[in-house]
Amino acid sequence: MITREQMNEVNQFLSGKNLPLDLKVEIFDHILEQVDYKIEFEIKDFATAFLEIEKSWQRDLKMSRRFMWLPKTKIHHDTIWKSSIEIFKKSFSYFILYFIVSVTLMLYNKTLASNFLFAIYCLAIIVFFVYLIFNFKIIRTIAGNRDKKNISYMQGGTQAFYLSSIFIISMILINFDNRFDKYYNFIIGLKNNFDFTQVGIGAFIIFNIYAFGWVYGFCYYLQYKKSIEYLQQKMNLKL
């Protein structure tokens, strides 16, 4: 049976690794299981067992800096990358459905397409404000300095939900009819004459990059919320 003092030693080992809380808890539990196994089944004392475990984690917990970000462990970098890829795949499948429907409607009926897009973006903003009101403490950890309270490896990607919602309001919904006309004319011009214009390309990018960013950020947010709920149950996390 591992004592509280020994648990504190494991916790101290993980301190200073710039690990987000959810990843730290996961690694902490895993190390305790490994140490406990060595003590119980390999009949080793705690010091010997823990030293062996430290060496086995040395590569994954090696600190490194990538680009201008703060140094992170290899397992932290790898976990963020793997999560980003999985969420990107899920988000893209939702986005491509929206994109196909919206473009098809523009080719079929301008008014119907305009109403559809306006409703979609309004719905996105309504969803954002609902979460903002009922989960304000969580949204605050996204919008603020995420390094101040390093809760989850999902935290950084979740900012796309917050930022895309703001840009949808300012860059799409305000003066929507005029912005939609530019997007619509670009799609029709592309269909009829394969015509590219700088204004049209800009409208195309704005309408789609923020739509994808919102979906991507929302998928991240749902996972982030699950991490917070897990930590609240596990260690009574206070936001």
Side-chain angles (χ1 to χ4, degrees):
M1 184 71 179
I2 299 177
T3 66
R4 182 169 296 277
E5 290 74 17
Q6 291 168 342
M7 289 183 182
N8 288 337
E9 189 173 339
V10 175
N11 185 60
Q12 192 66 31
F13 165 65
L14 295 175
S15 297
K17 298 292 185 181
N18 194 31
L19 290 167
L21 193 55
D22 56 354
L23 188 56
K24 181 180 179 180
V25 167
E26 185 179 336
I27 294 173
F28 177 80
D29 288 344
H30 194 52
I31 289 178
L32 288 184
E33 290 177 2
Q34 290 178 312
V35 171
D36 190 57
Y37 178 87
K38 284 183 176 292
I39 292 174
E40 186 173 350
F41 294 99
E42 296 183 11
I43 320 299
K44 294 179 179 178
D45 62 90
F46 173 80
T48 302
F50 185 44
L51 182 61
E52 292 177 359
I53 298 302
E54 276 190 74
K55 291 179 179 178
S56 70
W57 281 90
Q58 193 171 29
R59 182 171 177 271
D60 283 333
L61 293 176
K62 182 180 179 181
M63 301 286 288
S64 64
R65 184 189 295 273
R66 298 186 184 180
F67 304 106
M68 299 299 293
W69 303 110
L70 291 173
K72 292 183 177 68
T73 60
K74 180 181 182 300
I75 194 171
H76 191 175
H77 283 297
D78 292 347
T79 303
I80 291 175
W81 177 252
K82 183 179 179 182
S83 300
S84 297
I85 294 298
E86 291 302 315
I87 290 176
F88 180 87
K89 290 178 181 177
K90 181 187 295 186
S91 303
F92 188 75
S93 64
Y94 293 139
F95 168 77
I96 202 66
L97 177 62
Y98 147 83
F99 179 77
I100 291 172
V101 171
S102 62
V103 171
T104 301
L105 287 176
M106 277 190 275
L107 296 175
Y108 174 73
N109 186 295
K110 180 181 178 181
T111 302
L112 190 59
S114 176
N115 292 338
F116 171 77
L117 285 174
F118 187 75
I120 287 290
Y121 288 115
C122 284
L123 179 61
I125 299 308
I126 290 171
V127 169
F128 170 71
F129 277 109
V130 167
Y131 278 97
L132 178 62
I133 294 169
F134 292 100
N135 296 277
F136 176 73
K137 289 183 178 180
I138 298 178
I139 296 293
R140 186 176 59 183
T141 66
I142 300 168
N145 183 358
R146 67 176 182 274
D147 293 321
K148 185 177 181 181
K149 208 164 190 179
N150 196 6
I151 298 171
S152 172
Y153 58 88
M154 292 284 180
Q155 205 163 345
T158 308
Q159 284 195 331
F161 177 48
Y162 167 80
L163 293 174
S164 294
S165 298
I166 292 175
F167 281 119
I168 285 173
I169 295 171
S170 61
M171 301 296 292
I172 296 177
L173 290 180
I174 294 176
N175 197 19
F176 175 82
D177 290 338
N178 182 49
R179 297 178 191 276
F180 173 77
D181 282 342
K182 293 176 182 177
Y183 182 26
Y184 174 79
N185 291 334
F186 172 75
I187 294 298
I188 297 303
L190 194 63
K191 171 182 175 290
N192 294 335
N193 306 312
F194 208 69
D195 185 28
F196 290 89
T197 64
Q198 187 174 355
V199 171
I201 292 173
F204 175 84
I205 292 173
I206 287 172
F207 267 82
N208 290 289
I209 196 170
Y210 295 135
F212 176 77
W214 189 94
V215 174
Y216 180 77
F218 184 61
C219 289
Y220 247 112
Y221 174 82
L222 293 178
Q223 293 301 315
Y224 177 50
K225 190 169 182 289
K226 286 181 181 179
S227 292
I228 289 178
E229 290 170 350
Y230 166 75
L231 290 171
Q232 287 173 332
Q233 293 175 357
K234 180 82 174 177
M235 54 184 297
N236 195 27
L237 174 69
K238 301 294 184 183
L239 296 178

